[in-house]
C-alpha cells in the first residue's frame, strides 16, 4: 500500500507541475492581453503549482522512509506552505465566483472592471492567505505531523487541549473554508437561476450579444467546474480534520485518514485538465470542421482564452 501511495504522489505531482507550469508559461507569452478573469485563473495555477513543487517532494521522501524526515522546522515550513497555497486557491476561486456572479447577474459591473482591479484583488488574496497561514507562528496555533506521520498540517488537535485551541480551529474553519465556500455556492446558485431566466431573452438579440453571452457562459462553466473539483477534493479532508479536533481522534483509523489527504493533495492536478477539456469543447462547438481544426492549432492554449477571430473581437469589446 505504501508503494501505491508513493506512485500516486509521483503521478499527481508530475501532472500538476507540468500542467500548471504549462498554463503559466503560455499565459506569460500574452500577459499584456490577459483579461481580468484570466488573470485570476493564472493566479489559481500559481497556487496549484506551489502546492505541487513545495509539497510533493517532501511527502514522497517521507513516505519512502515511513516517517517525517525533515525535522520540526521542516514540518512547520511544509505545513505553512501547504496551507498558504491551499487558502490562496480557495480565496482565488471565491473571487472568481464573485466576478462571475456580478458579471452575469449585474451587467453594469462588467463595464468598469479593468486589469488593475484584478491586480488589486490579487494583492488582497495573497495578504489574506499570508495572514491566516502565519497566525500559527504567533503562538495562537501550530503546525504538526499528520496521524500517519509522513506529512504536516495545521494542528487540529489543539482544540482538544484548550479553549484558545478551539477558538483558533473554529476561526480557521470559518474564514478559510465555510465563509469562502458559502460565497461560492451563493454565487453559482444565483448564476444558474439568472441563466435560466435570461436564456430566452438572449436568443432575440443580435449575433454580437449572443457571442458575448456564449463567452461569458464559457468562463462561468470553467469557474464552476474548478470550484466543484476543489471542494470535492478538500471537503473529506476537512471533515476528518474537524472530527479530529472536536470528536474522538483515535476513532479515525490511520489508514482511513490517508485517503482524504491523498484526495486533497491531488486537487492541484485537476484544473489544467478542466481548462483544456472546456477549451477544446468550446472551439469545436464554435467552429466546426476544418475551421475548428485550424482554430485549435492557432489557439491560445490557456483555458479561458477565446478562439477564432470573431470571438477575439468579442473579447475586445467586452473589455
Amino acid at each position: 500500500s505504501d508503494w501505491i501511495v508513493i506512485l500516486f504522489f509521483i503521478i499527481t505531482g508530475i501532472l500538476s507541475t507540468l500542467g500548471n507550469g504549462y498554463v503559466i508559461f503560455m499565459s506569460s507569452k500574452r500577459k499584456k492581453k490577459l483579461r481580468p478573469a484570466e488573470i485570476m485563473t493564472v493566479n489559481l495555477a500559481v497556487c496549484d503549482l506551489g502546492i505541487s513543487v513545495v509539497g510533493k517532494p517532501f511527502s514522497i521522501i517521507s513516505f519512502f522512509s515511513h516517517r517525517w524526515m525533515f525535522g520540526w522546522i521542516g514540518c512547520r515550513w511544509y505545513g505553512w506552505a501547504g496551507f498558504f497555497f491551499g487558502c490562496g486557491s480557495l480565496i482565488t476561486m471565491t473571487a472568481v465566483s464573485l466576478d462571475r456572479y456580478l458579471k452575469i447577474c449585474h451587467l453594469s459591473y462588467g463595464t468598469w472592471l479593468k486589469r488593475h482591479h484584478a491586480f488589486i484583488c490579487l494583492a488582497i488574496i495573497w495578504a489574506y492567505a499570508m495572514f491566516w497561514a502565519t497566525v500559527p507562528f504567533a503562538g495562537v496555533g501550530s503546525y504538526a505531523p499528520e496521524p500517519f506521520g509522513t506529512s504536516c498540517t495545521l494542528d487540529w488537535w489543539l482544540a482538544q487541549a484548550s479553549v484558545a485551541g478551539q477558538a483558533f480551529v473554529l476561526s480557521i474553519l470559518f474564514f478559510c473554508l465555510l465563509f469562502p465556500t458559502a460565497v461560492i455556492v451563493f454565487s453559482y446558485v444565483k448564476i444558474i437561476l439568472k441563466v435560466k431566466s435570461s436564456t430566452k431573452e438572449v436568443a432575440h438579440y443580435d449575433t454580437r450579444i449572443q457571442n458575448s453571452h456564449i463567452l461569458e457562459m464559457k468562463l462561468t462553466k470553467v469557474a464552476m467546474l474548478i470550484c466543484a473539483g476543489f471542494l470535492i477534493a478538500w471537503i473529506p479532508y476537512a471533515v476528518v480534520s474537524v472530527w479530529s479536533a472536536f470528536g474522538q481522534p483515535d476513532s479515525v483509523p490511520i489508514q482511513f485518514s490517508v485517503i482524504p489527504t491523498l484526495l486533497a493533495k491531488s486537487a492541484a492536478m485537476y484544473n489544467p485538465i478542466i481548462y483544456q477539456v472546456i477549451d477544446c469543447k468550446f472551439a469545436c462547438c464554435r467552429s466546426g470542421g476544418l475551421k475548428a481544426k485550424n482554430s485549435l492549432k492557432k489557439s491560445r492554449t490557456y483555458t479561458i482564452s477565446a478562439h477564432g477571430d470573431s470571438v477575439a473581437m468579442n473579447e475586445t469589446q467586452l473589455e
Side-chain angles (χ1 to χ4, degrees):
S1 61
D2 287 347
W3 282 105
I4 295 176
V5 172
I6 292 170
L7 184 62
F8 180 84
F9 270 131
I10 292 173
I11 293 174
T12 57
I14 291 174
L15 292 178
S16 177
T17 301
L18 293 177
N20 288 293
Y22 184 66
V23 164
I24 295 169
F25 171 73
M26 294 304 295
S27 299
S28 67
K29 296 174 68 173
R30 50 181 295 269
K31 56 186 176 183
K32 293 184 179 180
K33 297 181 180 180
L34 292 177
R35 300 170 67 234
E38 290 178 299
I39 293 171
M40 299 301 295
T41 316
V42 171
N43 189 63
L44 184 59
V46 171
C47 291
D48 289 342
L49 183 64
I51 292 174
S52 300
V53 172
V54 173
K56 292 296 192 299
F58 293 95
S59 297
I60 292 170
I61 293 171
S62 294
F63 261 104
F64 267 117
S65 304
H66 301 285
R67 64 185 181 87
W68 179 252
M69 293 291 295
F70 303 97
W72 175 241
I73 294 177
C75 181
R76 299 184 78 188
W77 159 250
Y78 176 94
W80 177 89
F83 185 64
F84 173 70
F85 288 116
C87 182
S89 293
L90 182 56
I91 303 305
T92 300
M93 285 185 284
T94 305
V96 170
S97 70
L98 280 174
D99 171 73
R100 295 291 85 213
Y101 163 69
L102 292 171
K103 205 151 202 172
I104 300 296
C105 301
H106 302 278
L107 299 180
S108 60
Y109 166 78
T111 62
W112 64 263
L113 180 65
K114 304 299 180 184
R115 283 168 57 93
H116 68 272
H117 295 122
F119 288 116
I120 292 172
C121 190
L122 290 186
I124 295 173
I125 290 170
W126 287 108
Y128 191 93
M130 177 68 73
F131 173 79
W132 286 108
T134 309
V135 161
F137 292 138
V140 179
S142 183
Y143 293 101
E146 300 201 59
F148 43 89
T150 56
S151 65
C152 296
T153 186
L154 284 167
D155 192 351
W156 300 103
W157 302 271
L158 286 174
Q160 300 277 348
S162 65
V163 175
Q166 291 179 0
F168 164 72
V169 170
L170 289 173
S171 297
I172 290 291
L173 285 173
F174 179 78
F175 289 105
C176 300
L177 179 63
L178 297 180
F179 178 69
T181 301
V183 173
I184 290 171
V185 172
F186 168 82
S187 298
Y188 290 122
V189 167
K190 296 292 286 186
I191 287 171
I192 291 170
L193 295 176
K194 180 67 175 180
V195 168
K196 282 186 177 180
S197 64
S198 63
T199 300
K200 293 182 179 180
E201 298 176 9
V202 173
H204 299 293
Y205 294 146
D206 60 32
T207 303
R208 184 183 64 82
I209 295 177
Q210 289 179 3
N211 288 341
S212 298
H213 181 73
I214 290 172
L215 180 59
E216 292 302 329
M217 288 302 100
K218 180 201 174 187
L219 297 174
T220 303
K221 186 182 294 186
V222 170
M224 289 179 69
L225 286 174
I226 290 171
C227 291
F230 184 92
L231 294 177
I232 290 171
W234 279 95
I235 283 178
Y237 180 81
V239 170
V240 171
S241 298
V242 170
W243 182 255
S244 299
F246 298 101
Q248 298 295 327
D250 296 335
S251 64
V252 180
I254 292 179
Q255 294 82 356
F256 179 78
S257 67
V258 174
I259 298 174
T261 302
L262 295 179
L263 187 62
K265 292 182 184 298
S266 68
M269 178 185 68
Y270 305 148
N271 294 341
I273 298 173
I274 293 172
Y275 300 157
Q276 297 307 314
V277 169
I278 297 295
D279 221 21
C280 293
K281 182 180 177 182
F282 182 77
C284 292
C285 291
R286 289 288 300 151
S287 304
L290 182 61
K291 185 177 178 181
K293 192 173 182 180
N294 293 335
S295 177
L296 282 171
K297 287 181 180 179
K298 296 177 182 179
S299 66
R300 293 169 291 183
T301 309
Y302 188 55
T303 141
I304 51 182
S305 305
H307 291 264
D309 295 336
S310 62
V311 182
M313 186 183 300
N314 290 327
E315 197 175 7
T316 303
Q317 292 167 347
L318 284 170
E319 285 290 359

